[in-house]
Amino acid sequence: DTAVSQTPKYLVTQMGNDKSIKCEQNLGHDTMYWYKQDSKKFLKIMFSYNNKELIINETVPNRFSPKSPDKAHLNLHINSLELGDSAVYFCASSPLYWANYGYTFGSGTRLTVV
Amino acid sequence: GQQLNQSPQSMFIQEGEDVSMNCTSSSIFNTWLWYKQDPGEGPVLLIALYKAGELTSNGRLTAQFGITRKDSFLNISASIPSDVGIYFCAGQGSGSRLTFGEGTQLTVNP
């Protein structure tokens, strides 16, 4: 069983389209995150939800909207996609909103905007 | 905000060599974590450090939490080809947010 699963693994789309990435964790964790990894491999946090409540909302364009229907799911919807949105997006989860327990990451969604 | 400086950015070594990489912070961290990312996968936790001065091993990997709480290092002994990947340090400071270093790309030549 995959602990943190993301779909799709690859997403190629045209500029201006709207797309969603889904994430589910079966670890019973309370907190989930979205990270963006750019071409230089730097991991930048975008959002964090704790038990369906938004905790972290970094300086991310409002074209990005996370949604957490329950604590096991955190989806990311992106409107009006731009070329600069091309990156690998990682979902992660942790037992509590305390980083010292470590995060469990999904295997990533490679988004390519053409 | 807190920043982590990780070095080196990349390493090219021969199989069997030992490897060392480190992270330094401009501020104190309460927890240091080391992750490895294989190509096409997400980062996986290797070692977690919770106390200043703590030295922890995981197989051929050894990591230490610096006494000043502003640095940490990771050593890999007798490297093998499957050690290839990107290694990230991460730290938790006064808040609960995790800050990641910029990563060290390791290449091991057989």
Side-chain angles (χ1 to χ4, degrees):
Chain A
D1 280 347
T2 303
V4 180
S5 58
Q6 296 177 229
T7 54
K9 175 80 172 173
Y10 300 96
L11 184 54
V12 181
T13 188
Q14 290 187 325
M15 276 196 310
N17 283 349
D18 302 339
K19 290 294 178 185
S20 291
I21 307 172
K22 295 186 175 183
C23 180
E24 175 182 4
Q25 54 96 1
N26 62 6
L27 298 166
H29 288 171
D30 289 305
T31 309
M32 296 184 72
Y33 312 83
W34 277 110
Y35 275 81
K36 180 180 180 181
Q37 187 173 46
D38 59 24
S39 57
K40 294 184 177 178
K41 308 301 182 185
F42 184 65
L43 283 162
K44 183 175 171 58
I45 191 165
M46 301 173 69
F47 301 103
S48 170
Y49 270 74
N50 185 49
N51 224 345
K52 301 194 299 175
E53 181 184 348
L54 181 64
I55 300 296
I56 294 175
N57 184 356
E58 286 295 290
T59 307
V60 176
N62 57 15
R63 298 181 295 104
F64 290 79
S65 54
K67 283 190 171 51
S68 181
D70 55 61
K71 75 173 192 178
H73 296 84
L74 181 61
N75 303 323
L76 183 65
H77 187 76
I78 315 170
N79 289 329
S80 303
L81 278 155
E82 299 177 357
L83 292 176
D85 297 332
S86 296
V88 181
Y89 292 84
F90 286 101
C91 177
S93 70
S94 65
L96 296 168
Y97 185 49
W98 298 111
N100 59 359
Y101 285 91
Y103 295 177
T104 301
F105 283 85
S107 58
T109 296
R110 181 173 292 277
L111 171 66
T112 304
V113 183
V114 297
Chain B
Q2 293 165 331
Q3 288 189 316
L4 282 184
N5 295 311
Q6 185 171 349
S7 64
Q9 286 188 349
S10 60
M11 301 182 75
F12 297 84
I13 62 170
Q14 293 296 124
E15 183 177 358
E17 289 183 359
D18 297 343
V19 171
S20 185
M21 59 192 79
N22 67 82
C23 274
T24 58
S25 168
S26 56
S27 53
I28 289 173
F29 278 150
N30 298 319
T31 303
W32 283 96
L33 305 167
W34 285 92
Y35 284 83
K36 181 193 178 193
Q37 183 179 15
D38 289 326
E41 298 295 329
V44 174
L45 183 64
L46 298 173
I47 292 180
L49 302 158
Y50 302 110
K51 290 169 55 176
E54 180 181 353
L55 185 71
T56 298
S57 293
N58 178 5
R60 294 177 296 104
L61 277 60
T62 302
Q64 184 156 31
F65 192 143
I67 288 290
T68 64
R69 295 167 63 192
K70 292 184 177 182
D71 63 323
S72 177
F73 72 74
L74 175 71
N75 286 343
I76 305 173
S77 62
S79 58
I80 58 178
S82 62
D83 290 334
V84 164
I86 305 174
Y87 291 80
F88 291 98
C89 63
Q92 178 205 2
S94 56
S96 47
R97 183 177 305 188
L98 198 61
T99 301
F100 281 86
E102 295 160 329
T104 296
Q105 174 76 61
L106 178 64
T107 302
V108 180
N109 296 314

